[in-house]
């Protein structure tokens, strides 16, 4: 669709020049507006409805008719639309890789080339790392609209209170808490299953990604994704050693690595046990915000009533000898196929920290902007998740999701064998790196 857009821009520019010669003037060489903007994305039902509600409010102010359509299988469906000549004006990718593929194919317009789009404003309010996520050849092809957070630890406050445990705010306090739980023999510090059917192994990638990000910062993290920093490098090995100290140390996880390799990642029941080690009770689960969907129904009902007696969350503390407190996660990033003044106006809105006034209260939305009004999150748990993002030193989009598919697949497979104790880290690292 970029070819069509470029042709239209050139035609408009030529027309503008002709008008100028005739004594008329045109301030912008851009397509004329049609008062309509079409957006496609991959949001689920609740988030799609909430996003449309926000767009409708903007429509009421701007007079622009904005239509959002959610594609059931976005990555596949958007390609079909493009090949059929039915690309929207704007699309929201759940992963930046697909967006960058379309940019490389010449189908997207660089944001710097869109007249009327104030690119500096959103870049100034985004958590660092988001602003460079969709950059190619020095040009920005996308910015985020919404985010999700994985740098989280869920716990059972009632059991923390029972044993006198306090929420750790530093890595040293986390280490002390782990040792205290084991000394008390009250249970296991962590639940950490990595089984997920055909996708078994993905949870271990999140563990490693978190500490590669925390220890090294965004630049090294992105070099790792590109394959320039290798899996057997000192930077990644240090992160692997940190993960091993948390998950492999005797008594930290029920059954150790062998159990982790076969235990489903969504098995949250032990977090709500009260019978101690004999019942497999654990005190913490490091997971993304979506893990609440796997809580027992009774716990879900409590959370829905803003009752945090048995479930709450805190941000995973970063190591003191690292680059800072990075947040790992994902989100939806927009790219532009066609533009006119109306599209530019909508882009200025969806790229800003003003998006989320409805979505924050009606869906799992998290803003990628450090300036977002966190009072808009509907409950204490939502605010803690949102504040984790807003307070982040920097952000890293899920690394394995951005790596080549062959690398990602081997990351899962070799990571699972590593967790199960079948191979050591150098062997796993070599196997994964060989796929680049």
């Amino acid at each position: 669709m970029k070819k069509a857009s470029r042709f239209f821009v050139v035609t408009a520019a030529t027309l503008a020049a002709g008008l100028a010669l005739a004594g008329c003037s045109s301030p912008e060489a851009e397509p004329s507006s049609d008062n309509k903007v079409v957006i496609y994305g991959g949001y689920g039902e609740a988030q799609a409805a909430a996003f449309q509600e926000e767009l409708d409010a903007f429509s009421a102010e701007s007079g622009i008719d904005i239509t959002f359509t959610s594609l059931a299988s976005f990555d596949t469906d958007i390609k079909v639309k493009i090949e059929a000549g039915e690309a929207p004006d704007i699309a929201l990718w759940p992963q930046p890789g697909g967006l960058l593929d379309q940019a490389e194919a010449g189908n997207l317009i660089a944001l710097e080339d869109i007249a009327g789009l104030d690119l500096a404003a959103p870049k100034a309010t985004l958590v660092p790392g988001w602003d460079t996520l969709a950059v190619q050849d020095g040009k920005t092809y996308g910015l985020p609209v919404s985010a999700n957070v994985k740098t989280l630890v869920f716990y059972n406050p009632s059991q923390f209170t029972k044993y006198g445990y306090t929420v750790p705010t530093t890595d040293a306090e986390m280490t002390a808490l782990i040792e205290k739980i084991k000394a008390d023999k009250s249970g296991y510090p962590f639940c950490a299953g990595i089984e997920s059917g055909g996708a078994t192994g993905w949870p271990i990638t999140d563990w490693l990604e978190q500490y590669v990000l925390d220890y090294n910062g965004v630049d090294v993290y992105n070099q790792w994704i590109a394959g320039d920093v290798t899996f057997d490098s000192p930077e990644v090995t240090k992160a692997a050693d940190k993960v091993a100290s948390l998950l492999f140390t005797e008594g930290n996880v029920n059954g150790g690595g062998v159990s982790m390799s076969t235990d489903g990642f969504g098995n949250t029941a032990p977090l709500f046990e009260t019978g101690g080690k004999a019942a497999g009770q654990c005190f913490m689960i490091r997971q993304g915000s979506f893990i609440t969907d796997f809580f027992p129904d009774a716990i879900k009902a409590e959370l829905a009533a803003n009752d945090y007696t048995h479930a709450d969350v805190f941000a995973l503390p970063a190591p003191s000898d690292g680059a800072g407190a990075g947040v790992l996660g994902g989100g939806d990033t927009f790219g532009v196929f066609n533009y006119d003044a109306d599209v530019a106006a909508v882009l200025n809105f969806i790229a800003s920290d003003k998006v989320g006034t409805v979505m924050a209260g009606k869906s799992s939305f998290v803003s990628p902007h450090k300036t977002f009004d966190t009072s808009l999150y509907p409950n204490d748990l939502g605010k803690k998740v949102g504040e984790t993002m807003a307070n982040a030193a920097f952000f890293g989009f899920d690394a394995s999701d951005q790596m080549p598919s062959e690398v990602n697949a081997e990351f899962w497979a070799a990571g699972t064998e590593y967790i199960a104790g079948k191979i050591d880290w150098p062997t796993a690292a070599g196997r994964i790196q060989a796929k680049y």
Side-chain angles (χ1 to χ4, degrees):
M1 294 304 292
K2 190 175 181 182
K3 288 183 179 178
S5 298
R6 278 178 171 167
F7 177 76
F8 199 70
V9 171
V10 170
T11 303
T14 304
L15 178 60
L19 289 172
L21 288 174
C24 300
S25 64
S26 176
E28 298 287 352
E30 65 178 34
S32 58
S33 299
D34 61 4
N35 209 44
K36 294 182 180 179
V37 174
V38 175
I39 306 175
Y40 291 163
Y43 287 148
E45 185 175 348
Q47 202 155 3
F51 186 46
Q52 184 65 64
E53 190 174 338
E54 297 203 27
L55 295 174
D56 289 344
F58 183 76
S59 293
E61 295 178 2
S62 64
I64 303 169
D65 181 13
I66 313 170
T67 303
F68 175 75
T69 299
S70 184
L71 304 181
S73 301
F74 180 84
D75 289 327
T76 300
D77 293 346
I78 191 64
K79 292 176 183 176
V80 172
K81 294 288 187 183
I82 294 167
E83 291 171 0
E86 300 174 356
D89 299 309
I90 304 166
L92 274 59
W93 274 265
Q95 297 177 352
L99 186 157
L100 290 172
D101 286 345
Q102 294 304 321
E104 187 174 359
N107 292 328
L108 297 181
I109 303 170
L111 302 187
E112 289 88 351
D113 297 339
I114 298 179
L117 173 60
D118 182 2
L119 198 54
K123 284 191 172 185
T125 60
L126 285 169
V127 172
W130 278 110
D131 54 332
T132 58
L133 186 63
V135 172
Q136 191 172 87
D137 297 328
K139 291 279 193 174
T140 306
Y141 285 91
L143 289 176
V145 176
S146 59
N148 58 65
V149 178
K150 292 186 175 182
T151 308
L152 301 171
V153 179
F154 290 84
Y155 71 106
N156 185 336
S158 69
Q159 293 301 295
F160 266 52
T161 299
K162 176 181 176 179
Y163 290 99
Y165 302 151
T166 57
V167 170
T169 58
T170 67
D171 190 53
E173 290 178 358
M174 172 65 90
T175 299
L177 174 60
I178 292 169
E179 295 307 314
K180 177 65 172 170
I181 293 170
K182 291 195 293 184
D184 291 346
K185 299 181 179 179
S186 52
Y188 298 93
F190 290 107
C191 287
I194 68 166
E195 190 277 329
S196 185
T200 293
W202 70 257
I204 193 59
T205 71
D206 285 354
W207 276 96
L208 187 63
E209 288 160 5
Q210 182 65 62
Y211 288 106
V212 171
L213 182 65
D214 282 349
Y215 278 128
N216 304 289
V218 173
D219 289 344
V220 169
Y221 183 81
N222 288 337
Q223 291 168 26
W224 176 46
I225 293 169
D228 298 328
V229 170
T230 62
F231 274 78
D232 60 356
S233 67
E235 293 88 348
V236 179
T237 299
K238 183 176 183 178
D241 289 344
K242 175 66 173 179
V243 174
S245 72
L246 292 171
L247 300 183
F248 293 168
T249 300
E250 186 175 355
N252 280 17
V253 177
N254 187 11
V258 174
S259 177
M260 276 187 281
S261 66
T262 58
D263 189 20
F265 78 93
N267 180 19
T268 63
L271 187 65
F272 308 105
E273 284 285 356
T274 59
K277 294 185 73 173
Q281 180 178 353
C282 69
F283 283 82
M284 293 177 285
I285 293 178
R286 188 226 58 81
Q287 257 299 356
S289 51
F290 56 81
I291 199 64
T292 56
D293 292 339
F294 296 86
F295 284 177
D297 288 343
I299 304 300
K300 289 181 185 177
E302 287 185 356
L303 293 178
N306 296 330
D307 180 352
Y308 304 102
T309 302
H310 298 104
D312 208 341
V313 68
F314 61 88
L316 177 69
S320 60
D321 59 341
V327 162
L328 179 71
D332 294 84
T333 306
F334 71 75
V336 183
F337 289 95
N338 308 288
Y339 89 93
D340 56 19
D342 294 328
V343 172
V346 172
L347 291 174
N348 280 317
F349 171 61
I350 66 173
S352 75
D353 62 357
K354 301 300 183 286
V355 170
T357 55
V358 176
M359 296 170 78
K362 294 187 176 182
S363 70
S364 58
F365 171 89
V366 174
S367 175
H369 294 269
K370 55 192 176 186
T371 51
F372 183 74
D373 182 1
T374 56
S375 69
L376 294 171
Y377 294 113
N379 51 48
D380 288 344
L381 190 147
K383 287 176 183 175
K384 289 176 182 177
V385 174
E387 288 169 355
T388 296
M389 175 64 75
N391 296 332
F394 41 78
F395 172 80
F397 198 101
D398 189 295
S400 58
D401 283 350
Q402 298 184 75
M403 292 172 178
S405 58
E406 296 84 357
V407 177
N408 190 20
E410 190 62 33
F411 199 172
W412 290 356
T416 298
E417 290 185 43
Y418 171 61
I419 289 295
K422 296 179 180 179
I423 58 176
D424 59 14
W425 176 249
T427 300
R431 279 175 45 180
I432 301 167
Q433 192 63 36
K435 296 297 182 178
Y436 271 100

